[in-house]
Amino acid sequence: MTQRNCNILCWNVRGLNDVVRQDTVSLLVRDTASTIVCLQETKLQNIDQGIVQRTVGAKFTNNFVALPATQTRGAILLAANEDYFHLTDQHLSANVVTATCTMRADGTKWQITVVYGPQGDAEKLQFLQELKAIPRPAHGRWLV
């Protein structure tokens, strides 16, 4: 693949716990030709390859990172089309998913961080500390 561009879909889906919502996201991923998908508030405690395939497509099923929900709150899914990108060095914390994204076209690496912040004041302070604790990438390329 020689493509160096990427189409990123970032969406607070407010729950992926029924197939109609999963199918709606799938259509949007297809219609926008998204190559990287960042979904917040999936509200799912378990995101497996089946859910990823139904929600974002077969090309994402072996190349994703999921932060599970706390009870029925939050959760993050970061998935990249394996034809264009490879996700490695995945780090998860309470409200953050970070991974190194390597472009298959030329091996360029960059870091991507997806967040879903809490609502309470005390939790917001912890969230900001969480963000400050993420190591900066040596190569300097970082998308948050």
Side-chain angles (χ1 to χ4, degrees), residues 82-129:
E82 61 192 35
D83 286 345
Y84 303 104
F85 306 101
H86 180 63
L87 296 176
T88 58
D89 302 324
Q90 304 161 358
H91 301 279
L92 291 86
S93 56
N95 301 288
V96 178
V97 170
T98 298
T100 298
C101 190
T102 304
M103 300 180 83
R104 293 198 187 272
D106 62 5
T108 300
K109 294 179 185 286
W110 49 283
Q111 186 166 293
I112 184 167
T113 298
V114 184
V115 302
Y116 181 73
Q119 297 300 309
D121 288 341
E123 293 86 5
K124 286 179 186 178
L125 292 175
Q126 290 174 323
F127 169 66
L128 292 175
Q129 291 303 317

Side-chain angles (χ1 to χ4, degrees), residues 4-138:
R4 288 191 45 123
N5 297 335
C6 61
N7 294 331
I8 300 174
L9 172 64
C10 187
W11 187 10
N12 180 330
V13 293
R14 296 188 182 146
L16 285 178
N17 37 12
D18 75 32
V19 294
V20 174
R21 284 188 182 232
Q22 293 171 9
D23 291 346
T24 299
V25 174
S26 178
L27 289 172
L28 186 60
V29 170
R30 187 196 70 208
D31 291 348
T32 59
S34 296
T35 52
I36 296 178
V37 179
C38 309
L39 302 177
Q40 297 86 16
E41 199 178 3
T42 68
K43 297 185 179 184
L44 297 173
Q45 291 181 343
N46 183 29
I47 298 177
D48 60 19
Q49 288 179 314
I51 290 173
V52 172
Q53 181 171 351
R54 181 175 194 113
T55 305
V56 295
K59 293 291 185 174
F60 298 82
T61 58
N62 296 311
N63 203 28
F64 71 93
V65 186
L67 178 68
T70 303
Q71 297 168 345
T72 59
R73 292 188 311 259
I76 296 171
L77 171 62
L78 166 62
N81 184 314
E82 61 192 35
D83 286 345
Y84 303 104
F85 306 101
H86 180 63
L87 296 176
T88 58
D89 302 324
Q90 304 161 358
H91 301 279
L92 291 86
S93 56
N95 301 288
V96 178
V97 170
T98 298
T100 298
C101 190
T102 304
M103 300 180 83
R104 293 198 187 272
D106 62 5
T108 300
K109 294 179 185 286
W110 49 283
Q111 186 166 293
I112 184 167
T113 298
V114 184
V115 302
Y116 181 73
Q119 297 300 309
D121 288 341
E123 293 86 5
K124 286 179 186 178
L125 292 175
Q126 290 174 323
F127 169 66
L128 292 175
Q129 291 303 317
E130 204 176 330
L131 289 176
K132 287 173 63 175
I134 300 170
R136 307 283 185 263

